[in-house]
């Protein structure tokens, strides 16, 4: 059974700092991994999708890496801004076609 | 583009009542999913479907039923609502295993 863990559960950093969010998964038989952002009371916005054959993906100030063999992914946010404050979720798409989510990391950027 | 549309956005049910949460996508996606999200608990997979006529259980299927008679629609049925089913429900769709997923805006359900 796939289990997805995100560390830390919550994080507060001053504006301008670079930060890393972590996601680990127990079953490496995956098709891809996707990072989402969720603002309070809102739906999910896709940030980055990494296929199992890829090592990383970049979009603007965001960079996501994937180490499938060790069951880990990181989301790197450069030069953080108050608008980055949100909950960040990682989701693993397994070869059983089930997409399993972590519990998320609540990020607060201090102005 | 409408993407994934969920209705209703909000609903209050009494214990024992039944209802159907609607989910429709206009992207011709074969794969569709239902999740529930409880505070601090992330999203839990309820049911999913890899194509019309095919459905399968996720992590927390008890108390729910689904059907997939068309590619576009994937309704979620609650037969006997219980307070434990108070949650926010999200529907998602995807072109397939190697593609990303698109989410609807959610249905906030309260059972009293």
């Amino acid at each position: 059974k796939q289990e997805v863990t995100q560390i830390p559960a919550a994080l507060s950093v001053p504006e301008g700092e670079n930060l890393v969010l972590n996601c680990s998964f127990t079953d490496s038989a995956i098709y891809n991994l996707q990072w989402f952002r969720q603002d309070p009371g809102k739906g999910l916005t896709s940030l980055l999708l990494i296929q199992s054959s890829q090592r990383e993906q970049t979009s603007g100030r965001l960079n996501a890496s994937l180490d499938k063999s060790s069951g880990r992914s990181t989301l790197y946010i450069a030069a953080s801004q108050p608008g980055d404050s949100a909950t960040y979720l990682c989701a693993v798409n397994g070869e059983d076609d089930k997409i399993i989510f972590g519990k998320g990391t609540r990020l607060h950027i201090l102005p | 583009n409408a993407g994934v549309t969920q209705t209703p956005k909000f609903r209050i049910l009494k214990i024992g009542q039944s209802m159907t949460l609607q989910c429709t996508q206009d992207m011709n996606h074969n794969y569709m999913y239902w999740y529930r999200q409880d505070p601090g608990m992330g999203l839990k997979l309820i049911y999913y479907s890899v194509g019309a006529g095919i459905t399968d259980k996720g992590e927390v299927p008890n108390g729910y039923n689904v059907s997939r008679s068309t590619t576009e629609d994937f309704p979620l049925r609650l037969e006997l609502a219980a307070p434990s089913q108070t949650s926010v429900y999200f529907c998602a769709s995807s072109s397939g295993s190697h593609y990303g997923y698109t989410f609807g805006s959610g249905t906030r359900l309260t059972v009293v």
Side-chain angles (χ1 to χ4, degrees):
Chain A
K1 176 186 174 185
Q2 180 74 269
E3 294 183 2
V4 181
T5 303
Q6 291 188 245
I7 295 174
L11 181 64
S12 293
V13 299
E15 179 180 2
E17 285 198 2
N18 303 326
L19 58 100
V20 175
L21 307 181
N22 297 292
C23 174
S24 62
F25 47 96
T26 57
D27 186 349
S28 62
I30 66 169
Y31 286 124
N32 55 53
L33 183 146
Q34 194 161 355
W35 283 92
F36 292 87
R37 169 187 173 133
Q38 186 177 32
D39 293 292
K42 303 295 185 181
L44 279 72
T45 300
S46 177
L47 298 173
L48 289 164
L49 172 69
I50 310 178
Q51 300 295 344
S52 61
S53 58
Q54 298 175 322
R55 297 287 290 182
E56 66 178 315
Q57 284 285 336
T58 299
S59 176
R61 293 182 295 107
L62 305 180
N63 176 277
S65 68
L66 175 64
D67 185 340
K68 179 183 171 182
S69 60
S70 67
R72 294 180 182 178
S73 176
T74 61
L75 179 66
Y76 176 82
I77 303 177
S80 59
Q81 303 172 357
D84 294 330
S85 297
T87 296
Y88 291 80
L89 296 156
C90 76
V92 174
N93 188 357
E95 293 182 2
D96 57 358
D97 290 319
K98 292 180 181 178
I99 301 171
I100 305 298
F101 279 80
K103 294 182 179 180
T105 294
R106 294 190 314 279
L107 176 63
H108 182 50
I109 305 300
L110 305 167
Chain B
N1 291 335
V4 178
T5 302
Q6 291 185 238
T7 57
K9 294 189 182 302
F10 304 93
R11 183 73 185 269
I12 298 175
L13 277 183
K14 294 184 178 179
I15 294 173
Q17 287 186 322
S18 62
M19 77 163 293
T20 299
L21 282 68
Q22 302 291 345
C23 176
T24 299
Q25 52 90 10
D26 62 358
M27 299 171 283
N28 201 33
H29 286 174
N30 283 323
Y31 289 42
M32 296 188 74
Y33 305 83
W34 273 108
Y35 290 88
R36 60 176 288 172
Q37 185 177 34
D38 301 314
M41 295 301 293
L43 281 77
K44 294 290 188 181
L45 181 62
I46 305 172
Y47 271 95
Y48 66 106
S49 168
V50 298
I54 306 169
T55 63
D56 212 340
K57 296 178 180 179
E59 303 170 273
V60 290
N62 291 344
Y64 306 94
N65 279 300
V66 293
S67 59
R68 187 88 185 274
S69 57
T70 67
T71 298
E72 294 79 18
D73 301 310
F74 191 40
L76 178 70
R77 179 84 176 163
L78 283 71
E79 290 293 349
L80 292 171
S84 61
Q85 293 177 307
T86 293
S87 188
V88 180
Y89 292 83
F90 287 101
C91 178
S93 72
S94 172
S95 295
S97 301
H98 296 281
Y99 297 88
Y101 350 123
T102 302
F103 277 78
S105 57
T107 294
R108 187 174 297 273
L109 175 68
T110 302
V111 182
V112 297

